[in-house]
Every structure is written in structure tokens, then in C-alpha cells.
Amino acid sequence: MCATVPHARPIPRLEELTLDEKIGQLFVVGAHGVFVGESSPAYKRLLHMVRDNHVGGFIWFMSNVYETAALNEHLQSESRVPLLISADLEAGMGMRFNDTTFWPSAMAVAATGDASLAEAEGRIAAREARAVGVNHILAPVADVNIDPDNPVINTRSFGEDPHDVARFATAFLRGVQSEHVLACAKHFPGHGDTHVDSHRALPVLDVPRERLDRVELVPFRALIAAGVASIMPGHLSVPALDPTPAPVRGGVAQNPYGTSAAEVTRNGTLPATISKRMLDDLLRGELGFRGLIVTDAFDMGGLTEHVDAGEAAVRAIEAGEDQILMSPDVEAAIAAVKAAVKSGRLPEARIDASVRRILEAKSFVAAAAAPPGEIFRTLDAQEHRDVAADIARRAITLVREYPGSLPMSKEAKVSLIVVSEFPETVSPLPELASELRRALKTPPPVTLVDARTHEHELPQILAEAEKADVVVVALAVRARSGAGQIAVPDAARKLVAQIRKPVVAISFGTPYLLREIPSVGTYLCAYGIQPVVQVAAVHALFGEAPVTGKLPVTIPGFARRGDGIAKP
């Protein structure tokens, strides 16, 4: 077994650190936890970040469990100052770690109505993260999802009611920090009423301050009062809070998401990530937050299209940020910060203030060291999977039902049409098909409709559907970071409108899709494509579990928040 002991040595005092070491503490580098040999360029890069740049931490993206644990152990042993190791675990370990349970979305948790489940999830996520050596969870999402077409938050939010979002987010926070793992509320001051994906461009939230106090800031105030350890500002333009115009770099896309020139926001104001008025004045001054301020990823179009890596880092620190996440050019950013200190633009005392907070955070997680063998005993334990499955079952929401549609008969002939908004090589819902084969006497034919499907293919698909008693339309249409939009493909919309047999549609993603397929007689929301959710949906279809979920959001023109037809 791999023993992960991240804080086996004492944390140095601020006075013991050189200027280079202090500046390095402000940077967090992205990586993937996969096998790398000691002499590989990938591992040498990680070592360079620790030994030469003295970075304060790493953030793991899609990774393997044991490889990540081993890398964390090696990197911690090489770092003079213990590292903060983070991951986006909004939906449990499976959101970033292969072969572990991918938990239901935040909106699914809210659909259960039971905030204790959010707390349980936070506690379990923290225990499992700690076993791998991760001590900083970049969750909960505190955004209030008001815009039904929000392409980046959507089901990552607990819903559209700010007080409900506050209740569930603070419960998740309590669970995480009870395990001496840092939680992080995001994306300040609120990314839920935006129609632009900040991975691609700068969203503008043009609402008055009164609205911000009444909606967006409510969850953040609650989380601060509950003692959240860190807060992540978003790349968000909020003119009511800072009217300073944002510069525009122009030219080709400056980020990995391929932003086109037409997408670049040209009338925006400074994003929150580099706005002193939003961070130092509002978040620290008015709201009284004393914990870590951690930037959203600095390689996102909402920032890169406006300032380069070096200037972005300096402006972020001036604004009040403590950790800079995923600079697109760490070397240039560190050099720019060092030059700003030497020139007097950034007082060293400002660097010291951030480092003190970072060292305090590292002291808090010192108790989170996992003993040898913890991974094998704790990670993805059966009792943890049971909680995830319980959330999935209780989240399923029946928004509309054609009389007599549910429960479905196991004797019925069913045709399964899986809809995805992206080209897929295989169905994105394999567990759904497998569970339907288990439940039905006659295995259902499966048809995949995605962005590649042409209109001339529809007659053949319709002919197959006509052979069935019931057509199940499974919509794997969801928010994807960097995609920039959420929409049912045209071919799928036309197809659903022409089906003459009874249709049971299940949204395995954004719940708002009923607006695009209004002809369906029965519509359920599952709020995500996670395997546990796919299984729960089939249990709901055949009456093997009660249906009790309630919508955490309004589907304009079709359903209100709190709606949901109960099925015993």
C-alpha cells in the first residue's frame, strides 16, 4: 500500500522563507496523476516546480488513485514547505479520479430536499481525498443558477433559490472541514446568472448591487459565517461592483479552449479575479472574509483574452488573491511578481500577508495525514457508494407524466434513443442500457443521436421506434466546461416531435430541456450522467424505488421550483 503522509515535518515560519520561496507559495500547478518514471520529462517538470519555483501546491485533474497518492508522497517529500494539494471534487472523487464513484450533481442533492446528504457527501469526499493525499477540495459551488441556459454552472449549482443554495453549500462545507480538509466556495461573487462560459470568454453580470445582495451574495455570506476556509472568485465582470474597463489583448485565442475573436468580450469590466474592489474591498472588507482567496484557473478565456500571464498574476495579488491557480506560464508569472516586488509595485508585506494565510491553511490540514493502507480501506467503500446511490434515487424528479406511463411494464417493448449534444463514439449512458436489459423481458434496441446525425437518417430511426410500445429518450445533454453552450441537437428535436408512440424522456443533465422537446408526455430529471444516476433512473421507471425528487429550479413555461410528482 502507498502511505500518504503529507505533513511529516514541521511547517516553516514566514521569517524562515526567502522572497523566492514566498512568491512560489502563491502558485498552484495543474497536473494529471498518471504513472511517470523518475527520469520522465513530466516528473522532472513537477520536481522543477517544487525545487526551483517553490510552488505552494498542485491541482489534480483526471487521475488514477495510486499514481496520484505516490506522486503526492514524492512531491511532499521534495518540498521544503508542505504542499496544498487540491482537486475539483464537487461530485465526489469520481469527478477527477478513475475507478471511483462519480457522485450525483449538486442540483441532484438539492432535489432530495435533504441537506444532511450534502454534509454526508462532503465528509465522505474529504475522507477519500485525504487518503490519496488531497487536502483542499475546490467545492462547494455557491452559485445561484438563475439563467436556464447557463453553459458552465447549471447542475453544478444547488439551484435557483439563494437560501437553499446557502443551506446545501454550508452543509457540504461542514462535512469537508470536519475532516480537516479545506473547502472552497466558488465562484465569487456569483456565476449563476451568466450566459457566457468563463472558460471561453468574460461573462458580464450586469445587475444592480441590491440584486447582488438579495441573490448572489447570500450563499457567500452564509459560507463565510460558517467558517469556509477558502473562496474562489470567478472570471466575472460585475460593473456594479467595479466599473473599471477590462483591457482586450486581441489576436488569436490565448487559452486552450479555442476562443474565437468574435467571442471575446469587448465591453466588460475587470474580472473579479483581478479586481481590488471586489476582493479587497468587498470580500475582505465588507464581508469580513479572513481565509484563503484562490483564483479560478488562470488559463481560462475570461482572463487570458484580457491580460497576459505575468500581468494577470501581479494584478491578482494587488487585488487580494492568495493563490494563483494554473497560470498559463508559471515561469513568466513568478518572474513578473518578483519584478513587481523589486520595483515597489507590490510591497513585500503584501506577499507576506498571503503567505501567512497559506501557512495557516497548511497547519489546518496537517491533521489530515492518512495512515498507511487508508486508500484500500476507505476509498470507494461500500457504505460510501450506498450514500451516493441513496442521493441518486431520492433526486429523480418526475416533472410531467402522461397518465399510466409509470411504472413501465417489464413486458413492454421499449426502444431506447440516447441523445448527446457532442459526437460520441459510444453511448454516454452505458449503465442505462444495461439496466434496461436487466429489467425488460425483451432487450431494447439502442439508437445514438448526436451532433453527427443527419435529418435523412430520421425516417429509419422513426420506423424502429414505431415497433416499440414505449420510446425512452435519454438526454445526455449537459454543461461541459469550455463547450460554451447547452442544446439538444436539431436532429433530436425533430425526431422527438415526430414520434407517435408514448415517449418517456429522461434528462441526464440540465433539467431545462423540456423547453426544447415540449411534445413529450412524460419527463423526468436525473441531473447528470453519473452511473449511479443511470441506475436510479431505471429503478424509477419500473417502480422499483419511489420517486420523490423536487425541482430546485424553474423550467420557464413548464414547471416551477418545488414541482415534482410523487410516485410511491
Side-chain angles (χ1 to χ4, degrees), residues 260-421:
S260 68
E263 288 180 271
V264 176
T265 303
R266 302 184 183 278
N267 60 344
T269 56
L270 285 183
T273 35
I274 57 172
S275 167
K276 187 176 187 299
R277 293 187 185 184
M278 282 192 255
L279 302 186
D280 203 31
D281 297 350
L282 175 59
L283 183 55
R284 290 244 186 255
E286 186 178 334
L287 302 185
F289 180 60
R290 296 292 175 262
L292 277 183
I293 302 180
V294 182
T295 74
D296 207 345
F298 260 36
D299 66 348
M300 294 166 61
L303 185 67
T304 61
E305 301 303 316
H306 301 277
V307 283
D308 63 30
E311 181 65 13
V314 173
R315 288 195 182 206
I317 296 166
E318 286 179 324
E321 301 274 18
D322 296 311
Q323 284 201 312
I324 295 163
L325 192 67
M326 294 178 62
S327 169
D329 189 336
V330 177
E331 315 284 347
I334 287 176
V337 172
K338 187 173 182 179
V341 173
K342 290 189 177 298
S343 72
R345 178 181 174 183
L346 276 175
E348 189 168 350
R350 171 66 196 87
I351 303 295
D352 289 348
S354 283
V355 176
R356 283 193 187 93
R357 284 188 282 268
I358 292 166
L359 296 179
E360 287 173 6
K362 291 180 175 183
S363 295
F364 176 80
V365 301
E374 186 71 11
I375 292 176
F376 195 66
R377 289 191 297 269
T378 299
L379 207 66
D380 214 32
Q382 182 63 53
E383 58 265 33
H384 297 175
R385 296 197 299 273
D386 289 344
V387 177
D390 187 39
I391 292 171
R393 283 192 298 270
R394 294 170 62 180
I396 301 295
T397 305
L398 180 57
V399 177
R400 169 192 284 184
E401 182 189 13
Y402 186 80
S405 295
L406 299 181
M408 285 169 44
S409 169
K410 295 187 177 184
E411 304 293 321
K413 292 182 179 179
V414 174
S415 175
L416 174 60
I417 298 175
V418 176
V419 177
S420 171
E421 81 277 40

Side-chain angles (χ1 to χ4, degrees), residues 20-243:
D20 285 352
E21 289 174 322
K22 290 190 290 188
I23 290 173
Q25 286 299 297
L26 276 60
F27 288 84
V28 178
V29 176
H32 293 271
V34 295
F35 175 75
V36 289
E38 186 177 54
S39 62
S40 70
Y43 185 60
K44 287 181 178 180
R45 172 184 174 271
L46 298 177
L47 281 184
H48 167 64
M49 290 296 169
V50 171
R51 291 173 175 173
D52 304 319
N53 289 334
H54 316 290
V55 297
F58 291 90
I59 175 172
W60 297 110
F61 291 93
M62 284 314 299
S63 299
N64 299 323
V65 169
Y66 279 104
E67 285 88 337
T68 304
L71 285 168
N72 282 336
E73 185 175 8
H74 287 306
L75 294 170
Q76 290 283 12
S77 69
E78 292 288 345
S79 180
R80 182 180 175 218
V81 183
L83 299 163
L84 281 182
I85 307 291
S86 60
D88 290 296
L89 304 183
E90 302 164 21
M93 287 290 283
M95 187 166 172
R96 288 290 181 263
F97 290 90
N98 297 315
D99 302 318
T100 63
T101 298
F102 192 0
W103 286 56
S105 67
M107 195 170 285
V109 179
T112 70
D114 188 351
S116 71
L117 293 172
E119 184 168 354
E121 179 182 359
R123 185 178 299 111
I124 290 168
R127 286 177 184 169
E128 295 191 351
R130 188 178 63 188
V132 179
V134 171
N135 48 31
H136 192 183
I137 290 178
L138 303 183
V141 170
D143 303 313
V144 182
N145 200 82
I146 293 174
D147 186 350
D149 296 310
N150 193 317
V152 64
I153 303 301
N154 213 281
T155 57
R156 296 168 65 194
S157 164
F158 288 106
E160 71 180 20
D161 179 83
H163 299 286
D164 275 352
V165 172
R167 181 163 64 96
F168 281 91
T170 53
F172 185 91
L173 151 72
R174 286 193 300 271
V176 171
Q177 292 187 182
S178 70
E179 296 293 323
H180 272 266
V181 172
L182 303 177
C184 181
K186 59 189 187 185
H187 306 81
F188 184 84
H191 205 334
D193 195 12
T194 57
H195 200 55
V196 170
D197 182 350
S198 52
H199 291 84
R200 302 189 64 85
L202 177 62
V204 178
L205 181 59
D206 195 6
V207 297
R209 173 61 196 266
E210 179 276 330
R211 206 312 271 280
L212 293 166
D213 283 326
R214 178 168 47 85
V215 179
E216 280 79 7
L217 296 179
V218 168
F220 289 101
R221 290 183 188 274
L223 285 155
I224 291 168
V228 69
S230 63
I231 289 179
M232 176 183 289
H235 304 306
L236 301 164
S237 166
V238 190
L241 298 178
D242 190 342

Side-chain angles (χ1 to χ4, degrees), residues 416-420 424 426-437 446-448 472-478 506-509 526 528-531 533-535 537-538:
L416 174 60
I417 298 175
V418 176
V419 177
S420 171
E424 308 276 6
V426 295
S427 169
L429 300 170
E431 285 80 6
L432 175 69
S434 176
E435 284 294 302
L436 283 173
R437 286 193 295 270
V446 181
T447 304
L448 177 61
V472 173
V473 177
L475 299 144
V477 178
R478 61 205 188 276
I506 311 169
S507 175
F508 289 97
I529 65 164
Q530 295 87 340
V533 170
Q534 297 177 47
V535 172
V538 175

